[in-house]
Amino acid sequence: MSHIVSVAQLIHLQRAAEHGTGPAVRLLDVRWRLDRPEGRPEYLQAHLPGAVYVDLEHELARRGEPAEGRHPLPEADDLQRAARGWGLDDGDIVVAYDDNRSVPAARLWWLLRRAGVDVRVLDGGIRAWTAEGLPIERGDVLPAPGEITLKGGAGGVLALDQVEEFRDSGVLLDVRTPEQYSGARTATDPVGGHIPGAVNLPAMAAVSSDGRLQQPDVLRRIFATAGVDAGTEVAVYCGSGVAAMHTALALELSGIRALVYPGSWSQWSNTRGQPVAVGILPEGRLTRV
């Protein structure tokens, strides 16, 4: 199964579905960003024809305690209920997109792919679609409920109590900005810094100037600068578990399977007693939460 599609590939899939020579294609609009977490207003103004809006904050995460991080993973039953509400059926091809360099769409990709769904990300998002002069729609799309059954989807996760042991045997990537990694900028977390031993490689290093993901050979060179190649055990974290899944997608495109620490820094920094490294080096100046 592919992990991303271009606009041309999406149109090909849609035409195949229309002619009965391919599975149904379901479009999901995952408009979200840190400074504007509710993307529905933008969705209502313009979206790909037939696309259903997905609320990242409420459908791709659940409300939890600070010690769980800002975006805890949704419960399996809740995710399946949401997926059926988006109109998904077993066997569908799901294509997710956004207007934020595929970061929120990658969250949906990661959650549904580990649950056995053929889900792909539209490379370049809605901007790539409109750049081709293709039609857009206004208003809401309310599909008939689907009957999809999500599989277990329990793999690919690194839990809080597994992080330090993993760091001793693999590469732990911190994909936040250098300012957040070093502790110079704390954002909304109680302390700044990074998990001791983590290597900084900002998520946006994998994105080209037009908002698309870099080509696989370029991605492999980028990850090699952080000591990651096809034979490396690697786990990824970010601020709250969204951008980490974008890097997991980029790693997958380069042929590298990664674990994700979903709690990320928002969980680590809210858990008393956890070690913290401050500065630009992986070990840094050590302190504790």
Side-chain angles (χ1 to χ4, degrees):
M1 291 188 289
S2 300
H3 299 286
I4 62 171
V5 293
S6 65
V7 170
Q9 289 168 333
L10 171 56
I11 293 172
H12 176 77
L13 290 171
Q14 290 175 317
R15 287 176 176 166
E18 290 169 2
H19 292 122
T21 58
V25 179
R26 310 294 184 185
L27 298 177
L28 299 180
D29 185 308
V30 199
R31 223 79 66 92
W32 174 93
R33 58 184 66 228
L34 281 173
D35 60 340
R36 214 164 53 247
E38 174 55 78
R40 187 177 289 277
E42 287 80 9
Y43 163 82
L44 293 173
Q45 286 295 315
H47 57 79
L48 271 64
V52 176
Y53 177 69
V54 175
D55 186 332
L56 184 147
E57 294 283 335
H58 297 99
E59 295 179 305
L60 305 184
R62 60 179 168 81
R63 192 180 300 276
E65 300 298 322
E68 296 181 275
R70 287 194 297 279
H71 293 112
L73 297 182
E75 298 291 350
D77 288 347
D78 293 336
L79 182 61
Q80 178 166 282
R81 189 177 305 111
R84 290 179 174 180
W86 305 328
L88 306 189
D89 291 311
D90 292 323
D92 289 346
I93 293 176
V94 178
V95 176
Y97 72 89
D98 57 52
D99 61 355
N100 189 15
R101 295 169 289 189
S102 297
V103 173
R107 170 96 174 183
L108 186 143
W109 165 85
W110 188 87
L111 286 168
L112 290 190
R113 181 57 65 100
R114 68 197 285 267
V117 179
D118 183 355
V119 55
R120 312 174 191 192
V121 171
L122 177 60
D123 202 17
I126 191 171
R127 291 187 176 91
W129 180 268
T130 57
E132 297 292 334
L134 294 166
I136 56 174
E137 284 184 347
R138 295 171 60 93
D140 210 353
V141 174
L142 301 174
E147 299 181 349
I148 193 168
T149 299
L150 301 185
K151 297 181 174 64
V157 171
L158 194 67
L160 173 68
D161 59 3
Q162 298 172 315
V163 171
E164 291 192 81
E165 181 180 355
F166 177 89
R167 182 199 59 195
D168 293 337
S169 60
V171 175
L172 182 62
L173 286 183
D174 182 319
V175 301
R176 296 174 298 158
T177 66
E179 294 78 14
Q180 292 169 320
Y181 174 83
S182 68
R185 178 184 173 197
T186 59
T188 58
D189 300 310
V191 297
H194 57 271
I195 299 172
V199 178
N200 187 216
L201 183 66
M204 290 302 100
V207 180
S208 62
S209 58
D210 62 1
R212 293 176 170 85
L213 282 154
Q214 300 280 7
Q215 293 298 309
D217 59 333
V218 177
L219 290 172
R220 283 188 283 270
R221 291 197 295 271
I222 291 169
F223 290 121
T225 66
V228 175
D229 58 29
T232 306
E233 290 188 27
V234 57
V236 188
Y237 77 92
C238 58
S240 67
V242 179
M245 294 169 185
H246 182 273
T247 299
L249 171 60
L251 282 160
E252 194 78 37
L253 292 175
S254 66
I256 302 169
R257 183 67 54 85
L259 297 173
V260 171
Y261 169 34
S264 288
W265 187 250
S266 60
Q267 180 183 46
W268 189 271
S269 63
N270 274 287
T271 304
R272 184 169 294 278
Q274 294 296 339
V276 172
V278 177
I280 62 174
L281 299 177
E283 293 304 332
R285 176 172 57 81
L286 295 179
T287 181
R288 289 194 178 271
V289 176

